[in-house]
Amino acid sequence: MRAIWHGLKKVELYECVGLLFSLSALAVFFLYADLADLKQQTQNWHWRPVRWVWDVYRAFLPKAFGACLALLLAVGWWKYRDLRWGVRHTFILTRLVLPFCLLLFVYRVLNFYVPLFSPQDRDDWLLHADRWLFGVQPTVWLQQYVHPLLTDYFSFVYMAWFPLIFATMVLLHFWSKKAVTEYTASVLFTFYLGYFCYLLIPAVGPYYTLQQSYSISLAGGLVTAAQHSLVLPGDLKIPRDAFPSLHTAVSFVMLYFIAVYRPRWLWLYMPLVISILLSTVYLRYHYVVDVIAGIALGLFTSVFSGTWCRKWRELLSPQE
């Protein structure tokens, strides 16, 4: 028992959060599977998000792990003449990344099941909020500035957001355990609080609701085509993931932790984060009110993640 307790004391808050929400998603997946199939009038329809996630992981994760291991082995040998350095840091980073693997499963299950819990989309609320704030629909107003080169640039930074999450993790990992632990916890809390908001205020975004209002298409080159293939749902169900903008919220988490722990990198992160925020509206994926809510969410989790992690360690090790 002492050995088990000693092992549990090493569990980080972000790991506990990831496991808790994943188990909750798994329970919803099985409890409401028949209802989801009935609503779609398709037998075994509820397995589609699982197959989608499995196909992504099968194609990507082994390559990503191998590339990470090879890179860190090379760095370890080049700097320290020690291959064990690369192996050790690869497994530490793998432990940090694993909760994000569960995150994708939760996201897909949630988006397939949102209509069961919140069948009414709330885009009208967000449309009214944007018009009340600005007097126009910002994504329609921005048409006057649409240009293929600008569309390609914003498509690039929109796609760069996801790898930037892990690049930031690496930067903070090589700074301190405290920095990367708090950052990872903050990002995961941001995602899961955002997912909860998707249930409360399901919305598909202006790309779909204002489609008839756009007279200029977002034409671009290969970068824009790649972005559409990655972001647009294809044969999957259109996600209800507009409010809040998690591109915005997580970007602010990244910026906050870089400003606190690695300020020398602000020259890169500041323009990237601003560009990501602008891209969410320019590319018509979000209302401006989604971006405002994302800023608030990102700042909230960033500021309080340190306190949450400290309380977690005190809970597991009250005598220390």
Side-chain angles (χ1 to χ4, degrees):
M1 289 298 295
R2 291 185 62 183
I4 294 174
W5 175 242
H6 182 71
L8 288 175
K9 286 170 66 175
K10 295 182 179 180
V11 174
E12 298 290 351
L13 177 61
Y14 63 82
E15 293 172 313
C16 182
V17 169
L19 184 61
L20 177 64
F21 278 94
S22 298
L23 290 175
S24 300
L26 196 63
V28 169
F29 175 78
F30 284 110
L31 287 173
Y32 293 90
D34 291 341
L35 185 59
D37 291 349
L38 182 62
K39 186 176 180 64
Q40 296 299 318
Q41 298 181 340
T42 304
Q43 189 176 10
N44 293 323
W45 179 86
H46 64 281
W47 285 106
R48 291 184 66 188
V50 177
R51 286 194 293 268
W52 185 92
V53 172
W54 170 249
D55 288 342
V56 170
Y57 287 169
R58 184 177 55 180
F60 176 73
L61 285 183
K63 298 174 185 176
F65 181 84
C68 180
L69 177 60
L71 177 62
L72 289 174
L73 284 174
V75 171
W77 183 253
W78 175 62
K79 290 191 68 174
Y80 308 106
R81 291 296 187 269
D82 184 5
L83 293 177
R84 290 174 300 177
W85 183 93
V87 174
R88 183 173 68 254
H89 285 281
T90 297
F91 280 99
I92 292 173
L93 288 169
T94 299
R95 180 180 175 184
L96 290 163
V97 169
L98 277 176
F100 290 90
C101 297
L102 298 174
L103 189 79
L104 183 58
F105 168 74
V106 175
Y107 171 76
R108 279 302 173 191
V109 169
L110 176 73
N111 269 295
F112 269 65
Y113 282 68
V114 161
L116 297 181
F117 301 103
S118 304
Q120 181 67 43
D121 288 344
R122 298 301 180 185
D123 286 87
D124 54 332
W125 294 359
L126 307 176
L127 285 164
H128 291 155
D130 265 11
R131 182 170 290 279
W132 180 78
L133 286 170
F134 304 103
V136 295
Q137 291 300 333
T139 58
V140 177
W141 178 82
L142 279 172
Q143 286 187 115
Q144 59 191 304
Y145 301 106
V146 167
H147 187 278
L149 290 178
L150 197 58
T151 303
D152 269 348
Y153 171 72
F154 281 132
S155 293
F156 172 78
V157 295
Y158 195 86
M159 290 188 296
W161 169 80
F162 194 68
L164 190 62
I165 295 172
F166 301 103
T168 307
M169 181 184 292
V170 173
L171 275 176
L172 295 172
H173 165 68
F174 287 111
W175 181 257
S176 72
K177 182 179 179 180
K178 178 178 182 292
V180 73
T181 299
E182 292 181 4
Y183 166 76
T184 305
S186 181
V187 171
L188 287 172
F189 271 115
T190 300
F191 271 113
Y192 285 122
L193 287 172
Y195 292 174
F196 181 68
C197 290
Y198 293 168
L199 286 172
L200 296 179
I201 308 177
V204 296
Y207 186 90
Y208 300 101
T209 57
L210 294 175
Q211 204 165 48
Q212 302 303 317
S213 301
Y214 300 126
S215 57
I216 300 175
S217 66
L218 292 174
L222 293 176
V223 179
T224 300
Q227 180 261 128
H228 283 167
S229 68
L230 287 172
V231 176
L232 297 181
D235 62 342
L236 293 175
K237 192 173 182 66
I238 296 173
R240 269 63 183 168
D241 60 354
F243 184 90
S245 166
L246 287 181
H247 264 69
T248 299
V250 175
S251 294
F252 259 77
V253 173
M254 290 189 274
L255 185 63
Y256 177 91
F257 279 89
I258 288 297
V260 171
Y261 292 106
R262 305 298 299 264
R264 291 178 60 182
W265 287 87
L266 280 174
W267 65 270
L268 175 64
Y269 275 78
M270 186 65 76
L272 268 177
V273 168
I274 292 173
S275 296
I276 290 170
L277 265 63
L278 292 174
S279 74
T280 63
V281 180
Y282 177 92
L283 295 174
R284 304 168 180 171
Y285 292 135
H286 288 284
Y287 308 101
V288 176
V289 71
D290 301 338
V291 175
I292 296 171
I295 293 171
L297 175 59
L299 288 176
F300 171 73
T301 58
S302 297
V303 169
F304 288 101
S305 62
T307 301
W308 298 334
C309 288
R310 187 178 69 254
K311 294 291 186 183
W312 176 255
R313 298 317 308 168
E314 290 172 358
L315 177 67
L316 294 182
S317 305
Q319 74 281 4
E320 296 178 0

